[in-house]
Amino acid sequence: MRRSTDEIEARLREIGDQIAGLGPALQGTIKSNRNRRVRKDGSVYVSPEHHTFVYRGEDGKERWKRVRPEHLAEVRKMKKAGDAYRRLAREHARLTTALAVASLGKKNDAR
């Protein structure tokens, strides 16, 4: 399905508005973990479940931050916004490319 340049530009504006409305966004992974330890007497201790947010820092290295249980819902909401941002950014890139190609015109156009 080919779109006209006006339709592509309208969709690009919609995407920009949607991105502006996302609010704070995180890109990474929320990991749940329990530590398991064997004591000297042979009994096993399993720690309470804790959550960690794993992400890439500015330098590209993997970083992590422990998340308190009372903040977990908020972090999940921001991660969902980050996923939506990434999806919208990919669509924006595709549409920008399509708009640039459409502006080139036909191969046999007289210029």
Side-chain angles (χ1 to χ4, degrees):
M1 179 177 109
R2 291 184 90 46
R3 294 181 176 181
S4 70
T5 57
D6 293 335
E7 291 173 338
I8 293 173
E9 289 171 351
R11 181 61 186 144
L12 287 173
R13 283 190 294 277
E14 286 175 17
I15 290 172
D17 293 342
Q18 288 177 351
I19 287 174
L22 285 176
L26 294 173
Q27 292 185 8
T29 304
I30 299 172
K31 184 177 121 178
S32 299
N33 198 6
R34 292 177 187 264
N35 292 331
R36 185 173 189 264
R37 300 283 183 249
V38 178
R39 297 184 179 126
K40 288 183 182 180
D41 64 358
S43 63
V44 176
Y45 168 77
V46 178
S47 71
E49 185 176 47
H50 58 276
H51 303 279
T52 307
F53 180 69
V54 183
Y55 62 98
R56 294 271 173 197
E58 292 177 6
D59 56 359
K61 292 184 180 179
E62 188 174 274
R63 307 251 185 235
W64 59 271
K65 181 76 177 164
R66 186 72 65 88
V67 179
R68 293 178 176 255
E70 59 267 17
H71 297 134
L72 186 60
E74 186 178 348
V75 170
R76 283 190 172 136
K77 181 180 174 186
M78 287 190 284
K79 185 189 173 321
K80 189 175 179 182
D83 294 343
Y85 171 80
R86 200 160 58 221
R87 180 183 51 79
L88 289 168
R90 282 193 306 259
E91 184 180 357
H92 189 279
R94 285 192 304 267
L95 289 173
T96 303
T97 302
L99 186 61
V101 169
S103 69
L104 293 176
K106 298 275 187 189
K107 185 167 120 177
N108 295 329
D109 276 350
R111 289 189 178 207

